[in-house]
Amino acid sequence: MKKVLLKLLVIPILAAFLLGLAFSASAEAENDPPFPHPSALLRQEAPPDLLTMYDGTPVTTAAQWGERRGELRALLEYYMYGPFRGGEDDFVSYTINGTQTSMSVNIANETASESFDVGIVLPDTPAPAEGYPFFVVFWGMGGETYALEQGYALIRINPGSVATESVSPRGGVFYDLYPYGDTWETQTGNLTALAWGASKVLDALEAGAAEELNLNMALSIINGNSRWGKAAMVTGAFEDRFTVTFPSCSGTGGAHMWRYDSNGLTFNLLPELEGDPNGVPPIVRFSGRQSIDSLSGDANGSWVNNVFKSFSNAPDRFWALPVDAHFLAALTASENRLLFIHSEVNNDWVGTPGATYTHELAEPVFKMLGLENNLAINYTMAFHTTTAADLAKLFAFIDVNINGAAFNIENYFSSELSADERAFLANFKPEDLKTSFFRSPSNIETYESGKPVSAVAEIPEAPETPEPPMPEESVEEESIEIAEGSNEPSAESVSDAEPLPEDLSDLQTASDSPFINTLSIILIIAGAALIVLVFVFLIKKKTKTQ
């Protein structure tokens, strides 16, 4: 009888012990970062190739591109922007006010419910049979009156209601539902949080609001300018339901490459921009661009996740950054979707030529997929905004490539366009959107000189066991100067980030689940203790028998 009881006791003890070990191993595996810690990366001046898999396999077919596309998204989420939460388990409803000038977007999940309001402006003209095409705009857009006149509706998101720009605490509806945590999986940056907000607007429209407002869900445009242009670019990359991604003057972190140095470069503006109604000097000279520290420092650090901050203030590690703006551009490459990159010419801060480099690097992906006409780039001499003339080009681009209409720029002439703007547009052709003056014969040599030299070198030795980013410490919000006519901070006004520790040992990128961790420890200790008791029992029994 005692032997039977002993066997019955030993079996669950061993099972508990083994289960504890299994839980521990499982928790460790599940929480491992999907890619190497920043400290383990090599210097890579040349932009990562879009058509080469992470393991080095060339991408030559559309079928392979589906897998590579998943890699690009995962790399962007881990190293820079944080996870995009589609919210498939969220319940989204809406309430439109009586005058159809605003809508409440209501989101509920298993733990909480929140809502945010968006503004609505509908055109005065009758809606087409399929409904009004529409913009979802972060904050506002230049040329709104012209867009309405052309039959486009506007939905305006107040960015601060979705996700504030404060670092600690992070506020807004998104962070109320998905608090910023201490593991990389819970560290969604502000730009990705705003993309979630735009996605929830589409959810509300699909739930019935589009029918009530008479909107055409087959023709939606995501737009923002400056910092909100970054958010528009991120939104278009992660939310496939937007027909057109239209980032305006977004700079680095948006549609402009980090790996393009325009400092000291001089470009000819004529004859390509001749006739621009905003005035065209013969040349433009650049002296810098938005720095990586400006995105990860205290002033704007909410835009990105903690992992990205590992690259701040450390030149070698910046060059090891395994993502760049062309990743975002490539993610928009799909049938019935367009990317229209818009930037100003005369603004150092946005790194203007870097947008052309993004366009150039994304071209092979669009061409491989047979979508070379779905990618466009446009420049304006107007400062840090979108003009009615820019929108006329956008609408012509949409009509040809989405609506299947013949090109006729005069279809977009109106009283909202000045005589000078109409004269300038009269010479516009769809081919003009396939390249930029930076790559013209008179500028190509200078343009090429701004590209990085391909080089790979080792960076400081990585720690053997990198640990994940700690929760952000509370920081005082700083007031920053905004350059006149711009809503981006001037380069001089952005404070330096704290120096990066040499071994990055105080940074973390993941941590085990507290519940699983505790359960594992309890099971292992209990199992070990019971095994010891069994052995003691057996030894005593043997002693007695002797």
Side-chain angles (χ1 to χ4, degrees), residues 5 137 178 197 232 246 286 363 400 410 419 446 479 515:
L5 290 174
V137 180
Y178 302 105
F246 175 33
F286 295 99
E363 278 181 314
V400 171
E410 293 186 5
T446 302
S479 60
F515 171 74

Side-chain angles (χ1 to χ4, degrees), residues 50-51 326 329-330 333 339 341 355-377 431 433-436 439 447 451:
L50 293 173
L51 293 177
H326 60 318
L339 173 59
I341 301 172
T356 292
Y357 197 24
T358 299
H359 179 272
E360 178 189 349
L361 291 171
E363 278 181 314
V365 173
F366 282 80
K367 287 180 178 178
M368 184 189 70
L369 299 174
L371 303 171
E372 54 266 33
N373 292 328
N374 293 29
L375 175 64
I377 186 163
E431 294 75 22
L433 296 174
K434 292 189 174 183
T435 187
S436 81
R439 296 171 73 183
Y447 169 72
K451 295 179 181 180

